[in-house]
């Protein structure tokens, strides 16, 4: 029996009393992945990206482990909710236009001490000031550096379109602007190199593309390490008591941690290890989060139909954004139908061994987005469900 077949046996046994659709997290795999992130971080703390987890119980579980410290959130409403729930170090990774949220933040000493907001434009400060009303609490600010690799004098850009701040001078200028402004304090710098941390460099069947990605990423790491160090020096000249410099992501943990200028690493997807993280040479994780759909039809030889399953991931549309049938091994989508809104036909020899009511296990393309489809996660240890915990959705929190 292969390791994957053994996992299928465990998961089927653990959830035999539960009807699909359902979602699980294998805690042994989850914990092993957490250990791997800490190992690769080389002694620097790992800040957990909540968008990739979206479950308070699992955030609490990982933050209780050595090597993890703080949350990187994705909306201001989520940040305030987490802070009220006892998370005392929440870095909002994206700028917000949530005026009501800013009013709450500026009026509450506990929230203001726990939450750091992201800024890359003075206009965002104007919005916060206009929203704060009578709230006089100092707002903690993190400045975001654009990490994109620019070639041929800027005519070619590789990387996400995030912050407009690319140079050390630009970031230092904004640091000065924030420092001069009452009611704000610069406490950190963030630089997320998504073109390194979030792009696989070993895509099956694409050797030339994979080599090109590796060459690009090597060049991007060198360029960013030099520029990030210069940015940190320039900002520390303005803000000597800077608290943190955040960088990295699941796919670049060890590379980013090697930079002296970086004080902490961000990661989250590496806890669940969705399918998009199969194509990396930098690490090998264990799939920890899966969902099961029930077989509801047997249309013919070599085909079964499961209920639902059309859960595409965000990003540029493509086959790599679809969930992948994982267990039993050997199933594939019908190219004429793909992953369906209400039903999904699956082809392959294993289909003939599946009965009505059997479970087919899938892996989502991304990590936390799976939790937007399910109210609860069943936590599996060995061949038993030992706990069932709500997702953000299950707590009535659909932030995006």
């Amino acid at each position: 029996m292969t390791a994957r077949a053994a996992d299928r046996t465990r998961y089927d046994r653990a959830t035999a009393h539960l009807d699909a659709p359902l979602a699980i997290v294998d805690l042994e795999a989850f914990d092993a992945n957490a250990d791997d992130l800490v190992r690769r971080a080389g002694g620097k703390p790992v800040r957990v990206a909540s968008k990739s987890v979206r479950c308070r119980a699992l955030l609490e579980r990982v933050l209780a482990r050595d090597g993890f410290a703080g949350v990187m959130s994705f909306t201001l409403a989520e940040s305030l909710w987490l802070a009220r729930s006892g998370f005392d170090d929440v870095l909002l990774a994206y700028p917000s236009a949530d005026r009501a949220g800013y009013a709450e933040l500026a009026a509450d000493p506990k929230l203001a001490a726990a939450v750091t907001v992201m800024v890359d434009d003075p206009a965002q400060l104007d919005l916060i000031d206009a929203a704060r009303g009578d709230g006089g609490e100092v707002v903690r600010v993190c400045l975001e550096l654009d990490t994109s690799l620019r070639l041929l004098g800027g005519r070619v850009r590789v990387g996400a379109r995030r912050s407009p701040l690319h140079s050390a001078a630009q970031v230092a200028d904004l640091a000065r602007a924030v420092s001069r402004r009452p009611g704000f304090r610069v406490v950190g710098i963030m630089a997320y190199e998504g073109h390194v941390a979030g792009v696989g460099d070993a895509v099956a069947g694409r050797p030339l593309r994979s080599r090109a990605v590796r060459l690009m990423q090597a060049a991007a790491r060198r360029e960013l390490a030099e520029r990030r160090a210069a940015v940190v020096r320039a900002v520390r000249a303005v803000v000597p008591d800077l608290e943190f410099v955040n960088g990295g992501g699941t796919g670049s943990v060890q590379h980013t941690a090697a930079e002296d200028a970086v004080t902490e690493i961000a990661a989250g997807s590496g806890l669940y290890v969705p399918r998009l993280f199969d194509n990396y040479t930098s690490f090998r994780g264990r799939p920890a989060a899966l969902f099961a759909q029930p077989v509801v039809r047997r249309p013919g030889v070599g085909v079964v139909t499961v209920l639902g399953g059309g859960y595409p991931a965000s990003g540029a549309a493509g086959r790599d954004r679809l969930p992948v049938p994982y267990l039993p091994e050997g199933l594939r989508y019908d190219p004429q139908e793909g992953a369906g809104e209400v039903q999904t036909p699956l082809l392959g020899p294993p289909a003939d061994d599946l009965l009505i009511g059997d479970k087919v296990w899938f892996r989502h393309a991304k990590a936390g987005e799976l939790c937007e489809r399910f109210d609860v996660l069943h936590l599996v240890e060995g061949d038993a469900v030992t706990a069932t915990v709500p997702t953000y959705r299950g707590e009535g929190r659909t932030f995006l």
Side-chain angles (χ1 to χ4, degrees):
M1 182 183 291
T2 66
R4 278 174 61 175
D7 283 342
R8 181 193 175 200
T9 298
R10 288 195 301 114
Y11 300 150
D12 282 347
R13 185 176 295 134
T15 63
H17 62 296
L18 299 171
D19 288 333
L22 58 83
I24 66 168
V25 170
D26 184 332
L27 290 181
E28 181 181 332
F30 181 89
D31 290 344
N33 293 333
D35 288 341
D36 183 66
L37 289 172
V38 171
R39 176 189 61 78
R40 291 196 287 137
K44 293 185 177 178
V46 178
R47 184 182 289 274
V48 184
S50 64
K51 76 176 182 64
S52 300
V53 179
R54 303 195 200 199
C55 171
R56 276 201 301 165
L58 290 175
L59 288 174
E60 290 167 353
R61 181 184 183 92
V62 73
L63 285 170
R65 303 175 70 88
D66 290 341
F68 290 88
V71 173
M72 177 176 281
S73 57
F74 59 98
T75 74
L76 182 55
E78 178 211 14
S79 305
L80 301 178
W81 177 62
L82 289 175
R84 291 194 188 95
S85 302
F87 295 84
D88 60 4
D89 180 5
V90 183
L91 169 62
L92 175 56
Y94 307 88
S96 176
D98 181 353
R99 292 175 173 81
Y102 282 131
E104 290 181 50
L105 179 68
D108 189 315
K110 177 185 175 183
L111 297 180
V115 175
T116 300
V117 304
M118 193 63 59
V119 168
D120 58 30
D121 188 318
Q124 294 155 354
L125 302 176
D126 295 338
L127 187 148
I128 296 171
D129 265 340
R132 70 165 66 231
D134 296 330
E137 297 298 323
V138 173
V139 175
R140 292 166 54 86
V141 168
C142 179
L143 309 178
E144 182 169 1
L145 169 68
D146 169 44
T147 65
S148 64
L149 176 64
R150 299 183 181 181
L151 305 170
L152 302 178
R155 292 190 295 276
V156 175
R157 173 196 179 105
V158 181
R161 297 180 181 277
R162 291 177 64 111
S163 169
L165 307 175
H166 190 77
S167 69
Q170 288 174 315
V171 183
D173 283 347
L174 185 56
R176 277 188 285 271
V178 176
S179 298
R180 288 195 296 263
R181 194 155 180 160
F184 297 93
R185 180 163 67 93
V186 175
V187 297
I189 299 171
M190 188 190 86
Y192 171 58
E193 53 267 45
H195 50 302
V196 178
V199 177
D201 63 350
V203 181
R206 305 286 297 276
L208 294 180
R209 182 184 185 280
S210 297
R211 177 168 173 75
V213 169
R214 288 194 291 273
L215 291 172
M216 175 277 291
Q217 290 179 339
R221 288 196 301 267
R222 289 192 298 270
E223 186 275 338
L224 180 58
E226 294 179 5
R227 182 158 54 89
R228 181 154 40 199
V231 167
V232 172
R233 286 194 298 271
V235 172
R236 286 196 185 279
V238 179
V239 186
D241 58 347
L242 195 69
E243 294 179 15
F244 64 86
V245 177
N246 180 282
T250 288
S252 70
V253 170
Q254 64 269 41
H255 301 297
T256 307
E259 295 182 33
D260 291 338
V262 174
T263 66
E264 63 175 42
I265 309 299
S269 295
L271 295 167
Y272 287 170
V273 187
R275 66 165 295 196
L276 282 179
F277 285 88
D278 289 346
N279 303 319
Y280 283 76
T281 59
S282 61
F283 80 105
R284 286 287 182 270
R286 292 175 55 183
L290 300 94
F291 66 93
Q293 304 296 118
V295 174
V296 292
R297 284 178 171 164
R298 292 171 50 87
V301 176
V303 55
V304 293
T305 301
V306 299
L307 182 70
Y311 305 158
S314 59
R319 289 179 59 84
D320 65 342
R321 300 290 143 168
L322 295 178
V324 60
Y326 185 60
L327 300 171
E329 298 179 64
L331 293 172
R332 65 186 187 279
Y333 291 120
D334 181 335
Q336 301 300 315
E337 297 194 50
E341 177 186 8
V342 178
Q343 66 172 33
T344 297
L346 298 171
L347 312 179
D352 293 329
D353 296 324
L354 291 168
L355 304 176
I356 300 296
D358 284 352
K359 296 180 176 77
V360 175
W361 295 90
F362 293 76
R363 293 171 63 202
H364 202 277
K366 298 184 79 171
E369 291 183 23
L370 169 65
C371 294
E372 298 301 334
R373 297 287 183 167
F374 293 92
D375 290 339
V376 299
L377 297 173
H378 301 286
L379 306 185
V380 172
E381 296 183 77
D383 62 357
V385 171
T386 57
T388 297
V389 296
T391 60
Y392 279 13
R393 167 179 161 161
E395 296 198 68
R397 306 289 176 169
T398 50
F399 295 109
L400 280 178

